[in-house]
């Protein structure tokens, strides 16, 4: 590019128009390097600002990089400058497979899997593990489909669910996933302390138990004290240097892998050289080896029988004549091998379950035992007891956390070389590997280890060794140290990941009270989120029992996985155009099966925890919905709503609704001022009071002009109306029509508003207060034509007079009446409307009164009884009054009123006529002038001079002007003389008489009513009397504060039948 091409403001083309460089449509960024300079695309150059060149788009996409974890995704951050980061280079193995492996294999494998196998048996353990692994495998398939359907930035599973199911589900499930990750941190920390205090250094315990009964409580207190210290320590480590946590991840992972290899090596060794871990049994009861060393009642020392320490534990003295426990006397002490080896056939004994109550003694099935005649207390004796009651569903809840962690790969999508290839491959391989490890371990544990050892949770029968450690080769310490570091590392990872997840949710802005947790240190570290995470983690630590914390996080993870499956199923079934995953091995049936399995597992684990987790998620969902999640992420729930709406509309369209289902579906016609602001906002207040959020509401307005000229004003008007609808809590739709004629626009709205079966059946509008002013855009002609059109369309019409006096939604009437004047039957609209209004807080305390008019020939007493019975059958509570209106002579006032009306009408016509004549005269002169000018250009002067004199008279002479003026004045005077000499039309006199009489009766009874509802008479069939019709309505409602004129739609809207 030449230097001349650069001017102030950047490089320009020869035509001086700056070109848009951003590849994204409607983007405002300018990039000098990508300006298109050629003229080959001149045809499209005017659209370059919004639609960039393909080459520019591809260039921008090629340079696109994922955001780092914990930062808002690209659509919310596209205007900010991105830092240059190195191209991600991690492959499937390092980036997905190993992190998933590290997160899945953990504390449950080392501390609880042997106990689960011993308690539930090999077969049921196999079922438990298979169910949980199947659940995570199906979830991984669904997750792979979602993760490969475009770029997944920070937030991992939260991002996937929120963008697939919408902000409400995203926020609810995102917080559940956050709570699950946080409680997982607590579980790992509790596992770390259990390993430390039970297997590494039991002497480090602060609280010591005085007797066997207090051991559990002392252990829980130790957990709480040490747990609190470790949470604080880990939080400081994460706060100071999270990079060190990530560097240590490989060390922790190597500990896990080394431990698993040690287990398999130990299993192989048992085939030819089983380790020596003897178990001491009294009868068939397992004894704890913590307090004695020799497994015998007495021994021979120098040919002398000496009692052992075991004897002293069951007897009151060391002598052979001591009084001993009855069971101790009746049964022999035997010693068996704890790990008989894989070839011993112990697998047959371990196939079946052995569930027990809390405090039961662990017994060996099939071993000889003699029970005493009396029930003896076993407390304080050196037996191995169960610490909790066990049953199948509880074990599922405890085991499930050991298969979580499948999201580790998707959370690191920004660091992968090819995320769409690596995430499915790495995750599914990791789940397959861990499933194989778990399932094989179940069989191998059952085949190698004695059942009583498997059920011994804390290894008391093997001198306090970790049970899984007794199987390992070369030493139990390999497992103890390896499991300690792996659980410690997993806790650190949880405390690192959970705050970033919370930060991602907070920065999305869908949950307002979490906004503060979106802030952090200058480098983006989530300080406040870390503090909250540590506090929630502390709650888990205070629970103190690993077996109690595990089901809690199982719930949150299961709920998260359930919604991942739901997201995939919804997107697949909707067949949205944007659903194009690169991972092809998915099906909606698999996702649905995974979702059902997750839901079932939630209630299998713990039905009350499941209900609590669902309640928490439901509350978050409703909160986000209540606060109005103004996010449009193209999610599947929106697509599902559209499909459901389409289906419902097609179902509804068959014919009009039954009378029992009828409710006013209102089209509200609003007037706007020159600034596109609503003139009568109380009309929307009244709508929300009438509707109470039920049924259809369409708020419409008309702008006069051409759409191409007025579309900006139309957008502004729509924004103003929607804003006012929000303030007035009017739930509905807004529709703006731009039409050359105000009258035609109204007609278009009445005809075409709504869709299918969801069309309006009632029109609500304000009375034109200034109808007598000729310059009013919504003149009486427009009003009367609107009345006629609603009648023709068989729609009900509500006209609110003195609308500005109507109450706002904040007002409350403590007393007063809503009066209905039922003159003619209109299908029941007059009865239904007060009932609907009184459902709202504004009108709730008002009483309903119904008045009807009796003529000379009517029996007013019988009319009242019939009306009361009618209202009783309609289930409406209202006072009834029949007003007698006798025939009497037409008053002079009525004559005068009618005469004034007709004179005014005639005068308006004369004035309009003279005005029209003047306009026509001026137009004629203009036309002649134009024609003459054109002719003078084309023809020669001679031809123009020969033209007829009348046709070329183009100017007003003074004489002609005076003559025309006197002529018009004489015409007008003659017309006005006729006006003052005219007599009123008898039909108009009768109509005026009715209006005056009715108005007097209504004023007498309802002048102080809060609202008066009144039958609206129809306009005259002869359009010449339209202005008189407006006068009749004005007289009919004169002196009343709030009036609602009601005109039925020609069908019954209320019924006495159930």
């Amino acid at each position: 590019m030449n230097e001349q091409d650069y001017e102030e403001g950047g490089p320009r083309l020869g035509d001086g128009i700056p070109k848009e460089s951003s590849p994204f449509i409607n983007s405002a960024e300018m990039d000098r390097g990508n300006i298109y300079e050629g003229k080959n695309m001149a045809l499209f150059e005017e659209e370059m600002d919004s639609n960039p060149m393909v080459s520019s788009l591809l260039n921008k996409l090629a340079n696109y990089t994922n955001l780092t974890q914990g930062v808002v995704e690209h659509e919310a951050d596209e205007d900010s400058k991105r830092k240059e980061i190195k191209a991600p280079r991690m492959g499937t193995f390092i980036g997905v497979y190993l992190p998933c492996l590290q997160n899945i294999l953990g504390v449950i494998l080392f501390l609880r899997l042997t106990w689960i196998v011993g308690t539930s048996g090999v077969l049921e353990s196999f079922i438990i593990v298979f169910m949980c692994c199947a659940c995570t495998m199906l979830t991984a398939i669904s997750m792979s489909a979602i993760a490969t359907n475009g770029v997944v930035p920070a937030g991992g599973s939260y991002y996937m669910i929120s963008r697939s199911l919408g902000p409400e589900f995203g926020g609810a499930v995102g917080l559940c996933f956050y709570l699950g990750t946080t409680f997982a941190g607590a579980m790992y920390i509790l596992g770390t302390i259990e390993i430390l205090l039970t297997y590494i250094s039991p002497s480090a315990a602060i609280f010591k138990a005085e007797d066997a009964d207090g051991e559990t409580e002392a252990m829980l207190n130790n957990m709480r004290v040490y747990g609190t210290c470790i949470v604080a320590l880990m939080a400081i480590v994460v706060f100071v240097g999270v990079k060190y946590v990530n560097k240590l991840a490989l060390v922790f992972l190597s500990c896990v892998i080394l431990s698993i290899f040690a287990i398999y090596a130990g299993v192989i060794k048992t085939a030819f050289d089983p380790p020596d871990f003897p178990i001491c049994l009294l009868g068939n009861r397992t004894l704890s080896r913590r307090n004695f060393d020799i497994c015998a009642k007495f021994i021979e020392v120098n040919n002398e029988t000496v009692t052992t320490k075991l004897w002293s534990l069951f007897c009151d003295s060391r002598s052979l004549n001591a009084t001993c426990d009855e069971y101790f006397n009746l049964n022999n002490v035997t010693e068996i091998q704890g790990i008989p080896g894989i070839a011993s056939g112990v697998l047959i004994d371990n196939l079946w379950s052995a569930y027990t109550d809390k405090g039961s003694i662990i017994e060996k099935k099939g071993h000889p035992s003699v029970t005493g005649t009396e029930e003896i207390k076993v407390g304080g004796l050196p037996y191995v007891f169960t610490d909790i009651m066990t049953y199948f569903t509880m074990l599922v809840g405890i085991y499930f956390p050991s298969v979580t962690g499948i999201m580790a790969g998707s959370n690191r999508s920004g660091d992968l070389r090819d995320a769409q290839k690596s995430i499915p491959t790495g995750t599914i391989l990791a789940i397959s590997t861990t499933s194989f490890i778990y399932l094989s371990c179940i069989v191998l544990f059952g085949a190698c280890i004695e059942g009583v050892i498997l059920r011994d949770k804390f290894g008391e029968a093997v001198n306090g060794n970790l049970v899984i450690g007794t199987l390992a080769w070369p030493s139990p310490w390999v497992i103890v140290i390896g499991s300690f570091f792996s659980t410690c590392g997993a806790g650190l990872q949880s405390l690192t990941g959970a705050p970033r997840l919370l930060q991602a949710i907070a920065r999305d802005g869908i949950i307002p009270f979490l906004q503060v947790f979106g802030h952090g240190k200058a480098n983006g570290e989530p300080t406040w989120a870390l503090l909250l995470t540590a506090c929630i983690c502390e709650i888990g630590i205070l629970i103190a029992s690993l077996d109690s914390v595990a089901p809690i996080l199982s719930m949150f993870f299961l709920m998260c996985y359930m919604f991942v499956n739901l997201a995939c199923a919804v997107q697949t079934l909707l067949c949205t155009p944007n659903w194009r995953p690169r991972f092809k091995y998915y099906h909606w049936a698999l996702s649905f099966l995974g979702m059902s399995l997750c839901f079932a597992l939630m209630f299998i684990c713990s039905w009350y925890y499941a209900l609590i987790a669902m309640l928490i998620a439901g509350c978050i969902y409703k909160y986000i919905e209540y606060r109005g999640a103004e996010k449009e992420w193209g999610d599947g729930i929106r697509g599902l709503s559209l499909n459901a709406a389409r289906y419902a509309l097609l179902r509804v369209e068959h014919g009009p609704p039954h009378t029992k289902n009828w409710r006013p579906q209102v089209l509200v016609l609003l007037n706007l001022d020159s600034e596109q602001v609503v003139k009568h906002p109380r009309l929307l207040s009244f709508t929300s009071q009438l509707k109470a959020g039920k049924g259809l509401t369409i708020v419409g307005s008309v702008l006069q002009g051409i759409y191409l000229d007025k579309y900006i004003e139309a957008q502004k008007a729509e924004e103003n109306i929607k804003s006012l609808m929000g303030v007035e809590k009017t739930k509905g739709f807004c529709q703006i029509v731009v039409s050359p004629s105000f009258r035609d626009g109204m007609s278009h709205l009445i005809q075409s508003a709504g869709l299918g079966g969801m069309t309006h059946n009632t029109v609500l509008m304000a009375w034109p207060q200034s109808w007598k002013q000729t310059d009013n855009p919504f003149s009486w002609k427009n009003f009367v034509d609107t009345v006629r059109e609603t009648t023709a369309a068989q729609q009900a019409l509500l006209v609110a007079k003195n609308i500005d006096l109507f109450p706002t939604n904040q007002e409350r009437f403590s007393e007063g009446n809503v009066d209905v004047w039922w003159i003619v039957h209109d299908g029941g609209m007059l009865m239904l409307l007060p009932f609907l209004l009184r459902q709202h807080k504004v009108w709730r305390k008002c009483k309903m009164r119904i008045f009807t008019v009796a003529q000379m020939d009517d029996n007013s007493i019988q009319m009242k009884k019939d009306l009361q019975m009618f209202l009783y059958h309609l289930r409406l509570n209202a006072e009834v009054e029949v007003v007698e209106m006798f025939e009497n002579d037409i008053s002079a006032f009525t004559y005068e009123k009618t005469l004034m009306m007709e004179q005014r009408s005639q005068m308006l016509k004369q004035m309009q006529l003279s005005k029209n004549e003047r306009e026509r005269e001026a137009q004629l002169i203009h036309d002649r002038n134009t024609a003459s000018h054109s002719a003078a250009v084309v023809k020669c002067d001679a031809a123009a001079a020969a033209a007829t004199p009348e046709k070329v008279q183009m100017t007003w002479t003074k004489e002609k002007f005076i003559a025309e003026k006197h002529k018009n004045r004489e015409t007008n005077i003659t017309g006005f003389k006729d006006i003052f000499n005219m007599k009123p039309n008898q039909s108009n006199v009768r109509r005026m008489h009715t209006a005056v009489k009715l108005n007097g009766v209504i004023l007498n009874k309802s002048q102080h009513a809060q609202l008066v509802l009144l039958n609206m008479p129809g306009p005259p069939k002869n359009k010449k009397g339209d202005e008189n019709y407006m006068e009749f309505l004005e007289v009919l409602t004169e002196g009343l504060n709030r009036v609602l004129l009601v005109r039925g739609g020609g069908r019954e809207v209320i019924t006495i039948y159930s």
Side-chain angles (χ1 to χ4, degrees):
M1 184 180 282
N2 297 329
E3 290 182 8
Q4 296 95 308
D5 292 328
Y6 280 89
E7 299 175 7
E8 290 185 19
R12 294 174 180 263
L13 300 184
D15 55 6
I17 302 172
K19 292 293 180 286
E20 180 63 64
S21 65
S22 169
F24 301 106
I25 292 177
N26 295 326
S27 176
E29 294 182 8
M30 294 295 288
D31 185 356
R32 290 190 176 188
N34 293 329
I35 297 290
Y36 180 71
E37 298 180 40
K39 292 290 184 182
N40 296 332
M41 294 295 166
L43 183 62
F44 298 95
E45 64 184 7
E46 291 187 358
E47 297 179 345
M48 291 286 181
D49 290 343
S50 58
N51 301 341
M53 290 295 297
V54 173
S55 57
S56 173
L57 172 70
L58 294 175
N59 182 42
K60 190 76 174 185
L61 287 175
N63 294 330
Y64 175 75
T65 54
N66 291 317
L67 301 181
T68 55
Q69 186 169 350
V71 184
V72 190
E73 64 278 12
H74 71 278
E75 65 250 44
D77 202 39
E78 63 185 6
D79 292 333
S80 63
K81 294 180 180 177
R82 297 197 183 95
K83 295 179 180 178
E84 289 291 329
I85 60 173
K86 293 180 181 178
R89 293 182 181 177
M90 291 168 71
T92 304
F93 187 75
I94 298 294
V96 180
Y97 181 75
L98 290 182
C100 285
L101 214 62
Q102 181 188 359
N103 279 267
I104 295 171
L105 299 171
V107 63
I108 301 294
L109 170 65
F110 299 120
L111 295 184
R112 293 291 181 269
L113 192 59
T114 52
W115 173 71
I116 290 171
V117 173
T119 306
S120 62
V122 172
L123 291 179
E124 288 185 29
S125 299
F126 200 90
I127 292 169
I128 291 172
V129 174
F130 183 79
M131 272 200 312
C132 295
C133 291
C135 176
T136 53
M137 179 60 82
L138 291 170
T139 304
I141 291 170
S142 299
M143 185 196 72
S144 299
I146 298 172
T148 57
N149 189 50
V151 181
V152 179
S157 61
Y158 159 70
Y159 182 91
M160 289 189 291
I161 295 168
S162 62
R163 271 42 176 194
S164 296
L165 292 179
E168 295 91 353
F169 275 112
V173 181
L175 274 183
C176 284
F177 191 58
Y178 163 73
L179 290 172
T181 309
T182 306
F183 275 105
M187 184 188 75
Y188 290 132
I189 291 168
L190 290 173
T192 305
I193 302 161
E194 186 176 308
I195 294 167
L196 176 69
L197 295 181
T198 309
Y199 307 114
I200 296 177
S201 177
S203 59
I206 298 170
F207 299 92
K208 308 282 186 183
E210 295 180 0
D211 54 14
D213 295 333
E215 281 184 7
T216 306
E217 191 60 37
M219 184 65 178
L220 292 179
N221 288 330
N222 285 320
M223 290 271 200
R224 292 182 182 112
V225 173
Y226 275 97
T228 305
C229 296
I230 290 179
V231 165
L233 184 66
M234 284 186 174
I236 292 168
V237 170
V238 172
F239 177 76
V240 172
V242 71
K243 58 184 177 182
Y244 301 115
V245 176
N246 293 329
K247 285 179 180 177
L248 286 171
L250 200 59
V251 176
F252 298 139
L253 177 61
S254 59
C255 289
V256 174
I257 294 171
L258 188 64
S259 301
I260 289 168
F261 279 126
I263 293 168
Y264 281 113
V267 169
I268 295 167
K269 183 175 177 292
T270 62
F272 51 86
D273 183 19
D276 184 30
F277 279 101
I279 308 165
C280 193
L281 298 176
L282 175 62
N284 65 351
R285 296 179 179 179
T286 313
L287 297 175
S288 172
R289 296 293 287 260
R290 289 181 185 273
N291 298 318
F292 67 92
D293 49 357
I294 300 171
C295 182
K297 292 183 180 180
F298 37 77
I299 55 173
E300 293 285 336
V301 179
N302 299 326
N303 295 324
E304 184 180 349
T305 303
V306 180
T307 58
T308 62
K309 194 172 183 182
L310 179 62
W311 179 282
S312 63
L313 293 172
F314 282 92
C315 303
D316 55 3
S317 72
R318 297 293 292 264
S319 69
L320 290 169
N321 298 323
T323 305
C324 298
D325 177 72
E326 184 183 5
Y327 189 84
F328 184 75
N329 287 330
L330 293 173
N331 291 276
N332 294 323
V333 177
T334 55
E335 196 171 53
I336 61 171
Q337 275 301 324
I339 303 177
I342 197 168
S344 64
V346 75
L347 178 64
I348 305 298
D349 298 331
N350 292 332
L351 280 178
W352 311 109
S353 60
Y355 299 119
T356 55
D357 291 329
K358 182 179 180 180
S360 301
I361 300 171
I362 295 175
E363 299 176 343
K364 178 172 171 55
K365 289 178 286 187
H367 210 69
S369 171
V370 181
T371 54
T373 55
E374 299 178 10
E375 278 295 324
I376 308 284
K377 290 183 179 179
V378 294
L381 298 177
Y383 294 123
V384 179
F385 297 98
T386 56
D387 62 335
I388 55 173
M389 186 173 73
T390 53
Y391 44 91
F392 179 81
T393 56
M394 186 207 71
L395 296 181
V396 176
I398 291 175
Y399 173 74
F400 188 81
S402 66
V403 296
T404 59
I406 61 172
M407 302 288 184
S410 64
N411 288 345
R412 302 178 182 216
S413 60
D415 302 325
L416 301 172
R417 189 184 304 119
D418 184 358
Q420 298 194 352
K421 180 183 174 185
S422 296
I423 289 175
T425 310
T427 306
I428 292 171
L429 273 178
I431 293 173
S432 303
T433 306
T434 52
S435 299
F436 172 77
I437 290 171
Y438 282 129
L439 291 170
S440 62
C441 280
I442 285 171
V443 177
L444 295 174
F445 291 163
C448 294
I449 306 175
E450 182 61 54
V452 288
I453 294 288
L454 288 172
R455 292 193 291 280
D456 182 8
K457 188 188 285 186
F458 301 109
E460 293 178 42
V462 283
N463 299 320
N465 278 305
L466 182 61
V467 175
I468 199 172
T470 60
L471 183 64
W473 180 86
S475 165
W477 286 101
V478 175
I479 296 285
V480 172
I481 301 300
S483 60
F484 176 79
F485 280 114
S486 74
T487 50
C488 193
L492 272 173
Q493 291 282 0
S494 296
L495 282 180
T496 306
R500 280 158 180 73
L501 179 59
L502 182 63
Q503 187 182 47
I505 298 170
R507 287 188 173 179
D508 261 347
I510 56 174
I511 305 175
F513 68 83
L514 290 181
Q515 297 271 353
V516 66
F517 299 110
H519 307 300
K521 292 194 290 187
N523 61 353
E525 288 299 313
T527 311
W528 291 106
L530 176 62
L531 188 63
L532 179 67
T533 304
C535 292
I536 297 173
C537 198
E538 179 61 21
I539 296 171
I541 297 297
L542 293 176
I543 295 172
S545 169
L546 189 146
D547 300 323
S548 300
V549 173
I552 296 175
L553 65 104
S554 293
M555 289 305 120
F556 292 125
F557 279 120
L558 277 166
M559 186 168 288
C560 178
Y561 296 166
M562 181 173 75
F563 281 104
V564 168
N565 284 300
L566 175 63
C568 183
V570 166
Q571 296 280 32
T572 309
L573 288 172
L574 284 178
C575 300
T576 48
N578 190 52
W579 181 246
R580 304 185 300 275
R582 286 191 175 277
F583 180 76
K584 300 298 180 187
Y585 306 102
Y586 69 94
H587 192 271
W588 68 267
L590 290 176
S591 300
F592 190 77
L593 179 64
M595 183 184 74
S596 305
L597 191 56
C598 289
F599 188 75
L601 282 172
M602 284 177 70
F603 283 89
I604 286 172
C605 294
S606 171
W607 63 268
Y608 47 91
Y609 276 159
L611 290 177
I612 291 169
M614 291 171 75
L615 182 66
I616 292 170
C619 290
I620 298 165
Y621 179 95
K622 294 306 290 183
Y623 174 77
I624 297 170
E625 189 180 55
Y626 169 74
R627 291 304 299 260
E630 299 295 333
K631 299 282 182 184
E632 176 53 69
W633 289 328
D635 51 87
I637 292 296
R638 296 290 167 93
L640 196 62
S641 301
L642 284 172
N643 269 16
R646 172 182 160 277
Y647 175 76
L649 280 172
L650 291 173
R651 288 287 303 273
V652 167
E653 198 167 6
H654 300 299
H658 190 274
T659 304
K660 287 187 285 187
N661 293 329
W662 194 94
R663 63 167 65 247
Q665 316 281 25
V666 181
L667 169 64
V668 186
L669 298 178
L670 294 179
N671 289 338
L672 305 175
D673 59 18
S674 58
E675 298 295 320
Q676 320 310 330
V677 177
V678 177
K679 284 185 179 178
H680 303 294
R682 297 286 175 91
L683 206 57
L684 287 179
S685 306
F686 183 70
T687 304
S688 60
Q689 292 159 24
L690 181 66
K691 301 289 293 175
K694 305 292 191 301
L696 174 72
T697 303
I698 302 172
V699 181
S701 190
V702 178
L703 294 181
Q704 197 164 355
I706 306 298
Y707 182 70
L708 289 176
D709 300 332
K710 292 276 188 177
Y711 68 92
I712 295 175
E713 286 91 331
Q715 290 174 356
K716 183 181 177 184
E718 188 171 356
E719 288 172 9
N720 290 342
I721 291 175
K722 283 183 176 177
S723 172
L724 185 62
M725 287 171 72
V727 171
E728 299 294 344
K729 297 181 180 175
T730 307
K731 295 180 180 177
F733 308 99
C734 178
Q735 192 165 344
I736 303 294
V737 171
V738 180
S739 174
S741 160
F742 195 83
R743 168 77 200 80
D744 290 344
M746 285 289 184
S747 179
H748 295 156
L749 269 178
I750 290 169
Q751 290 178 63
S752 61
L755 179 66
M758 289 295 283
T759 52
H760 60 281
N761 55 29
T762 306
V763 177
L764 173 62
M765 59 196 299
W767 172 263
Q769 298 286 0
S770 54
W771 67 272
K772 294 182 181 179
Q773 298 174 12
T774 55
D775 59 343
N776 180 29
F778 190 67
S779 66
W780 52 269
K781 285 187 178 180
N782 290 341
F783 177 80
V784 178
D785 283 342
T786 304
V787 175
R788 284 199 176 95
E789 284 190 347
T790 54
T791 306
Q794 294 186 323
Q795 295 171 4
L797 177 66
L798 310 178
V799 179
K801 194 175 180 196
N802 302 323
I803 185 63
D804 295 328
L805 299 178
F806 276 58
T808 62
N809 290 327
Q810 286 70 42
E811 293 181 44
R812 301 285 183 271
F813 288 134
S814 57
E815 58 182 1
N817 300 311
V818 175
D819 287 355
V820 176
W821 284 84
W822 194 20
I823 313 298
V824 293
H825 182 55
D826 59 351
M829 277 286 286
L830 280 169
M831 307 292 182
L832 190 61
L833 291 174
F835 169 76
L836 294 174
L837 278 175
R838 289 179 67 238
Q839 307 302 307
H840 198 274
K841 293 176 182 177
V842 174
W843 306 92
R844 189 164 292 163
K845 294 186 178 178
C846 293
K847 293 179 180 177
M848 181 176 166
R849 298 193 302 179
I850 295 182
F851 297 90
T852 189
V853 176
Q855 300 295 324
M856 279 290 290
D857 300 333
D858 297 328
N859 183 343
S860 58
I861 297 172
Q862 188 61 38
M863 276 182 70
K864 184 171 183 178
K865 286 182 180 177
D866 292 343
L867 184 53
Q868 285 173 334
M869 183 56 67
F870 181 58
L871 289 176
Y872 175 78
H873 287 308
L874 287 175
R875 291 91 65 202
L876 294 175
N877 296 320
E879 293 179 21
V880 174
E881 190 169 338
V882 178
V883 179
E884 295 179 343
M885 203 163 81
F886 300 110
E887 289 288 339
N888 56 1
D889 295 335
I890 295 171
S891 63
F893 172 76
T894 303
Y895 270 109
E896 184 184 350
K897 194 91 174 170
T898 310
L899 190 59
M900 285 172 62
M901 175 188 76
E902 292 190 352
Q903 285 175 348
R904 178 181 173 279
S905 175
Q906 195 66 27
M907 194 178 296
L908 282 171
K909 284 182 180 176
Q910 292 287 352
M911 290 169 66
Q912 191 70 23
L913 189 65
S914 58
K915 181 182 176 185
N916 288 346
E917 283 178 350
R918 287 198 300 274
E919 287 176 353
R920 277 201 298 273
E921 182 73 26
Q923 186 63 38
L924 181 64
I925 292 163
H926 174 74
D927 292 346
R928 286 176 178 174
N929 220 342
T930 308
S932 167
H933 180 71
S934 303
V937 172
V938 176
K939 297 179 183 180
C940 60
D941 293 340
T948 311
E950 286 78 4
K951 292 185 179 178
V952 295
Q953 178 68 41
M954 301 305 165
T955 55
W956 284 87
T957 60
K958 188 176 182 182
E959 293 78 7
K960 183 172 180 181
F961 176 74
I962 293 169
E964 287 291 326
K965 191 175 177 183
H966 282 293
K967 182 180 175 184
N968 285 335
R969 185 181 294 173
E970 286 167 10
T971 307
N972 288 343
I973 290 170
T974 308
F976 288 135
K977 281 180 182 177
D978 291 341
I979 289 170
F980 292 117
N981 293 332
M982 67 185 290
K983 291 182 179 180
N985 181 288
Q986 286 304 310
S987 174
N988 287 342
V989 170
R990 284 189 297 106
R991 289 168 186 265
M992 183 63 78
H993 176 65
T994 305
V996 170
K997 284 276 291 179
L998 267 177
N999 178 253
V1001 172
I1002 294 169
L1003 275 178
N1004 183 36
K1005 297 285 185 182
S1006 304
Q1007 188 168 12
H1008 301 295
Q1010 303 291 10
L1011 179 64
V1012 177
L1013 287 89
L1014 183 63
N1015 281 119
M1016 181 179 181
K1021 293 180 180 178
N1022 184 2
K1023 292 190 176 184
K1024 291 180 180 178
D1026 285 358
E1027 65 271 26
N1028 298 341
Y1029 171 69
M1030 296 295 290
E1031 193 72 53
F1032 294 144
L1033 293 180
E1034 193 75 70
V1035 171
L1036 183 63
T1037 55
E1038 197 171 358
L1040 297 171
N1041 287 332
R1042 302 183 193 93
V1043 184
L1044 189 66
L1045 293 169
V1046 179
R1047 185 159 173 74
R1051 61 162 295 165
E1052 293 292 333
V1053 300
I1054 196 166
T1055 178
I1056 63 173
Y1057 299 106
S1058 62

